[in-house]
């Protein structure tokens, strides 16, 4: 789950689609911290999570968080 946010979609996918293992990637530190807490609270051992960003190649990385509320807004 690239851009996992706090893990809501990750958890739903894991449960609904019977996924064995899931990798969550979230670049925002505050959201990543909440993601970690949510995964630990659910005691799910088959979710691996990273505080990182994904891209096509090695380019200049521009990260901006204006309190993203999701949905492209």
């Amino acid at each position: 789950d690239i851009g996992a946010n706090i893990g809501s979609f990750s958890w739903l996918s894991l449960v609904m689609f019977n996924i064995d293992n899931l990798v969550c990637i979230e670049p925002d530190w505050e959201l990543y911290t909440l993601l970690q807490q949510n995964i630990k609270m659910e005691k799910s051992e088959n979710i691996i999570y990273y505080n990182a960003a994904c891209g096509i190649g090695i380019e200049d990385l521009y990260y901006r968080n204006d309190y993203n509320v999701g949905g492209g807004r």
Side-chain angles (χ1 to χ4, degrees):
D1 184 2
I2 299 173
N5 203 284
I6 63 169
S8 300
F9 180 76
S10 303
W11 183 251
L12 181 66
S13 298
L14 195 68
V15 174
M16 289 190 70
F17 301 113
N18 197 27
I19 297 171
D20 292 329
N21 295 298
L22 185 64
V23 176
C24 298
I25 300 171
E26 176 53 52
D28 183 274
W29 179 252
E30 291 179 41
L31 294 175
Y32 175 74
T33 302
L34 293 172
L35 172 66
Q36 282 181 308
Q37 292 172 5
N38 288 340
I39 291 170
K40 288 176 184 175
M41 185 173 59
E42 294 296 335
K43 298 180 182 167
S44 181
E45 296 179 10
N46 53 343
I47 299 178
I48 301 167
Y49 43 93
Y50 297 99
N51 180 222
C54 294
I56 296 172
I58 300 173
E59 304 286 332
D60 290 334
L61 177 65
Y62 175 73
Y63 175 75
R64 176 178 163 180
N65 182 1
D66 289 334
Y67 302 103
N68 183 356
V69 295
R73 292 177 261 140

